[in-house]
Amino acid sequence: MLELQVRFQLAEFPLEARLAVPIGVTMLVGESGSGKTTLLRLTAGILRPDSGRITLGGRVLFDRDAGVCEPPRARGVGYVSQDDTLFPHLSVRENVAFGLHAAHRPAAEVRDRAQRTLERFGLLPLAERRPRQLSGGQQQRVALARAVVLDPEVLLLDEPLSALDLATRRALRGELRRQLESLPCATLFVTHHPGDALAFGDRIAVMERGRITQSGARDEFLRHPGSAYVAEFLGVNLVAGVVAGRAPDGLALVTVGDRTLAVPDLERDGPVRMLIHPREVVLSRQPPVGSARNVLRGVVEEVLAEPPGVENVRVILAGRPALAALVTRQSAERLGLKPGIEAYASFKASAILVLPN
Amino acid sequence: MKPRATPTPASGGPATLFFLALAATTALVALLALPFIGLLARVTPAGILVHLAQPQVLVALRLSLFTTLASTATVIVLGTPTAYLLVTREFPGKRLLEVLLQLPMVLPPTVAGFALLMAFGRAGFAGRALDVLGISLPFTTLGVVVAQVFMAAPFYIAPARAGLGSIDRRYLEAADTLGAGEAFRFFRVMLPIALPALLSGVAMSAARALGEFGATITFAGNFPGTTQTMPLAVYMAMQSDLDTAVVLSVLLLLMSFGLLLGLRSAPAGWLGIQARAGTPGSLSAR
C-alpha cells in the first residue's frame, strides 16, 4: 500500500493530493496539466514535495517534518515515464539488466532474472537490438520490463500508451492489462484516455487542478460520478434496469424505464447496471433492418462536438433512459441529426457490458 | 516559383546572400589551405623518409609523441571529473572557476610559460615545495608535460562539459529510479552517451598539446631530447636546415589533421549512440 499526502507548488496552482494506492491497478485520470505526472515524480523521488509524507508499506519514503527524503534509488519504486527513456547505447537485454547491475546483484542472478523477464514480456527475439531499432510499442514493453525486473513495490506508469497510434494502443492494452494483473505490486497508472481508464482500473482516482477529487472502485465511479468532469470523462451510457424474463435464444430481457433491452451473459435476476459505449450505438432515421437486437426510438436532444480535431460528434437521444451515441461528423450531417429530429438507436446485445453487483 | 528544399532569403534579390557567403568562404579557405599546399609542395615521399632518419628529427618526434600522450592522459583524468562537477553541482565561485579554466585558451602562451616559471621555478613558491620532494619541473620533460596540460586542458573541458551537460535528463532520472548510484550512473549512462563529445575534446586538446610551442619554450626550455618537441625543432631547423623544418612541419600537419579527422568527427553511429539534444547545463538545477 502506497500512501501519499503531499503538497507541491505548481506554476498555476498548488498540488495538494492525498491518495492511497493498494495492491492492484489504480488509474489516475485527469486533464493534461492537472498535476498527474508531477504526483508520480514526487512519488519516485525525482521531485521533492514542499511538505507532506509518503509511505510505502509502512516504510517512510518522505516526511518533511521528520526530515526524511529517500533518494529515488532507495525507494523501491518503478517509474515508467511517458517519453522513451531507454538507454540508447545499450541493447534491450542490457537495458532490462540495468537495475540489477546497479544493485550489484551476482552475475548469474542478473542473467537469470533478465532472461526470465525478457521471456515474460515476449522480448527474447528483440533482446540484442538497440532501442532505436524498435517500434514504439516494443520500446514501451522494454521500458516496463526494465522497471518490473526489479520487483518494485510500487509501479508508476505515466501514460504508457500515449505515444502509440490507435491500432497499436488497442492491441497493447490487452497485453499490458494481463501483465499488470499478474504483478503483486501497487500500480498507479496515469492516463487522460477514458478507454484506458475503463480497460485497466480496478480503482480510479481523479485529479483536477492538483487535487484528488474522487477515488474509489471503477464500478462505483460509473454509478456515482462525483463531478461533471468525471461523468463527461467516462462518457459512457450507464443504465439501470430490472431483469424481466428470458428470450427464447437465452438472452435476458431487462426492463429499463419504458423500454426492454436484450442483454447477454446475465444469469441472475433482479436489478442490474449496464454500460453501453456510445461508439457501439448506431443511429438511423428509419427503423433499422439488421441484426442488432436492441432498437430504441427517440428524439435527438443535443448534438455535441467532441474535442476539436476529433471528427466525431456525440448525439444525445432523449427518452428513458437517455442514450449517447458517437457518430462521425459526416454521418451526423448526412442523417440531418439536430435537436428535435426523431431517430432510432440500435446496438447489438453484445455491446452491453453488465456490471457486477 | 518552384518550391525549394532550403530556405532562401526573402528579399535582396535571388541568391545574393548565397554568393556573398560563397565568396567569403572561398577567401577563408584559400587563406587556410594555401600555406598547407605551400608546405606539401616542397616535399616528396622519398624526401620525408631521408629526413625522418635524421637523429634530431626522430628524437623530437619521439619526445612529442610521449609528452602529448602523457599530457592528454592527464587532461582526461583530471578534466573529466572537473567537467562532471561543473555540470552536476552548483557552488560559490563556480563562475570564477569557469573563467579560470578558459583563460589558457586566450592567454599568450609565452605569458603562460612565464607564469608557470614564476610558480614552479626554483624561486617559485610551488617550485620550492616540489624541490623538497626532489621534483623539478623547469627545463625537464615533466615540465613540457605540465606546460602542455596547462595549455590543452580547456580544449577538453569545454566539449566534455557541453557533452555531459546536454545528456537528456530523462536518462538520468531513469537511471536514478532504477537504483543506480552516482558512480554507476556516470560510468554506465553519462560516459557512453557523452562519448562522442568527449572524444572530440580529446582530439582538440591532444592537437593543442602536440602543437604547443610558447609555454614549452618559456617554461621548459629548448633542449634536444628532453624538452625540444617538434614545434620547437621546426623553429630551430628553420634557421639552419630548411628541408628538415619542412619535413617536421608536414609531419605535424598530418598528425594534427589525422587527430581531428579521426576523433573529432567520430560518427555517433560508429559508437552505437543516437545523440539526442537536451538542455545544456540544466543538470545542476535539481
Side-chain angles (χ1 to χ4, degrees):
Chain A
M1 172 89 97
L2 170 73
E3 287 176 289
L4 297 165
Q5 191 247 304
V6 289
R7 191 178 193 290
F8 184 75
Q9 188 61 44
L10 296 172
E12 291 182 17
F13 49 84
L15 182 151
E16 283 177 297
R18 187 187 282 272
L19 181 65
V21 185
I23 306 280
V25 181
T26 300
M27 305 301 294
L28 181 61
V29 304
E31 283 169 2
S32 306
S34 58
K36 307 185 297 294
T37 296
T38 303
L39 190 64
L40 293 197
R41 293 164 69 82
L42 290 168
T43 309
I46 297 166
L47 294 175
R48 187 194 173 105
D50 297 333
S51 64
R53 190 176 150 88
I54 304 172
T55 59
L56 177 54
R59 197 156 56 87
V60 179
L61 300 186
F62 177 83
D63 189 332
R64 221 283 300 267
D65 299 336
V68 178
C69 184
E70 294 285 333
R73 64 172 179 275
R75 292 199 173 196
V77 168
Y79 175 50
V80 179
S81 77
Q82 188 171 4
D83 320 287
D84 138 52
T85 58
L86 296 177
F87 301 121
H89 57 291
L90 300 179
S91 69
V92 167
R93 184 185 298 278
E94 290 164 331
N95 263 285
V96 170
F98 183 90
L100 298 168
H101 279 303
H104 304 292
R105 311 304 308 168
E109 184 195 328
V110 172
R111 227 180 6 252
D112 265 23
R113 284 172 70 176
Q115 178 75 9
R116 268 187 282 126
T117 306
L118 287 167
E119 214 174 304
R120 177 170 162 201
F121 284 85
L123 291 169
L124 273 184
L126 309 173
E128 311 315 323
R129 294 214 195 154
R130 293 286 168 92
R132 66 161 183 274
Q133 299 168 300
L134 304 178
S135 70
Q138 291 165 339
Q139 291 184 359
Q140 204 55 59
R141 256 191 290 167
V142 177
L144 186 61
R146 185 175 68 170
V148 165
V149 73
L150 299 173
D151 299 328
E153 286 174 69
V154 170
L155 193 57
L156 308 172
L157 305 179
D158 195 355
E159 310 239 8
L161 301 173
S162 69
L164 309 176
D165 59 83
L166 204 64
T168 316
R169 187 188 185 97
R170 287 225 183 94
L172 213 62
R173 206 182 265 164
E175 181 193 321
L176 183 56
R177 184 181 174 165
R178 276 190 298 282
Q179 294 288 357
L180 294 182
E181 276 169 359
S182 68
L183 293 177
C185 68
T187 300
L188 190 57
F189 186 134
V190 163
T191 185
H192 65 261
H193 196 282
D196 286 348
L198 291 171
F200 286 101
D202 312 337
R203 300 168 53 78
I204 298 178
V206 177
M207 194 156 205
E208 292 174 83
R209 284 182 70 84
R211 288 168 188 273
I212 304 287
T213 50
Q214 188 181 359
S215 73
R218 172 180 54 182
D219 301 338
E220 195 55 37
F221 255 80
L222 294 166
R223 248 168 264 163
H224 304 292
S227 65
Y229 169 74
V230 173
E232 186 158 333
F233 176 82
L234 295 173
V236 292
N237 294 300
L238 174 70
V239 294
V242 178
V243 177
R246 304 278 155 187
D249 56 6
L251 293 178
L253 297 174
V254 177
T255 306
V256 178
D258 49 9
R259 292 155 167 170
T260 301
L261 299 180
V263 181
D265 306 324
L266 187 57
E267 303 298 328
R268 59 194 149 86
D269 286 328
V272 286
R273 285 170 188 276
M274 300 162 292
L275 293 179
I276 304 154
H277 199 281
R279 197 175 283 114
E280 310 280 356
V281 179
V282 177
L283 292 180
S284 58
R285 292 286 297 274
Q286 306 297 327
V289 184
S291 61
R293 278 298 296 267
N294 295 300
V295 178
L296 309 178
R297 199 176 60 148
V299 175
V300 174
E301 186 176 281
E302 231 183 327
V303 180
L304 301 166
E306 284 282 296
V310 178
E311 275 306 301
N312 286 326
V313 294
R314 186 176 288 266
V315 180
I316 311 289
L317 211 54
R320 287 207 312 131
L323 203 62
L326 206 56
V327 297
T328 64
R329 201 178 298 279
Q330 278 179 330
S331 304
E333 280 167 12
R334 189 166 44 78
L335 289 171
L337 295 176
K338 56 183 188 237
I341 296 283
E342 186 169 274
Y344 293 85
S346 56
F347 47 91
K348 294 180 174 182
S350 61
I352 302 176
L353 178 69
V354 177
L355 295 177
N357 265 2
Chain B
M1 193 169 173
K2 288 178 194 166
R4 286 169 197 256
T6 48
T8 50
S11 59
T16 304
L17 188 67
F18 171 72
F19 284 116
L20 282 174
L22 192 64
T25 309
T26 309
L28 193 58
V29 168
L31 182 65
L32 292 176
L34 284 177
F36 297 155
I37 294 170
L39 210 49
L40 291 168
R42 288 193 59 121
V43 294
T44 58
I48 289 185
L49 287 178
V50 168
H51 286 90
L52 252 184
Q54 288 180 309
Q56 82 243 47
V57 172
L58 278 179
V59 163
L61 177 62
R62 208 179 58 191
L63 184 68
S64 263
L65 287 179
F66 172 75
T67 53
T68 300
L69 270 177
S71 62
T72 304
T74 311
V75 165
I76 294 171
V77 168
L78 301 182
T80 311
T82 306
Y84 177 79
L85 274 188
L86 289 174
V87 164
T88 55
R89 299 287 194 282
E90 292 297 335
F91 48 87
K94 183 171 168 178
R95 294 293 297 273
L96 274 179
L97 179 64
E98 284 169 345
V99 171
L100 184 70
L101 286 169
Q102 284 174 340
L103 205 54
M105 277 176 148
V106 294
L107 204 62
T110 43
V111 173
F114 186 61
L116 282 169
L117 201 57
M118 289 299 105
F120 294 104
R122 285 266 150 70
F125 57 95
R128 274 196 300 259
L130 287 175
D131 210 29
V132 175
L133 301 170
I135 300 171
S136 174
L137 290 182
F139 314 113
T140 64
T141 304
L142 192 56
V144 175
V145 174
V146 169
Q148 287 179 350
V149 169
F150 187 93
M151 297 306 295
F155 289 83
Y156 174 72
I157 290 173
R161 207 192 143 173
L164 291 172
S166 65
I167 294 173
D168 195 317
R169 61 181 299 163
R170 289 173 299 188
Y171 291 138
L172 307 179
E173 289 167 4
D176 287 347
T177 59
L178 290 167
E182 194 170 3
F184 190 85
R185 185 181 79 171
F186 176 74
F187 285 106
R188 287 297 294 260
V189 178
M190 298 184 78
L191 205 57
I193 291 179
L195 197 57
L198 298 183
L199 286 181
S200 152
V202 169
M204 293 290 285
S205 77
R208 183 69 189 80
L210 182 67
E212 194 347 311
F213 175 84
T216 308
I217 202 164
T218 315
F219 180 51
N222 181 21
F223 304 107
T226 28
T227 69
Q228 192 185 79
T229 56
M230 283 170 76
L232 274 60
V234 169
Y235 189 70
M236 298 314 291
M238 269 172 63
Q239 298 166 26
S240 54
D241 179 359
L242 212 54
D243 286 344
T244 303
V246 167
V247 166
L248 279 165
S249 300
V250 168
L251 267 179
L252 270 174
L253 175 64
L254 293 179
M255 286 160 73
S256 304
F257 192 81
L259 256 177
L260 293 186
L261 190 70
L263 288 178
R264 210 163 172 226
S265 58
W270 174 96
L271 296 156
I273 290 163
Q274 195 168 32
R276 191 159 78 177
T279 324
S282 60
L283 297 180
S284 48
R286 52 173 52 202

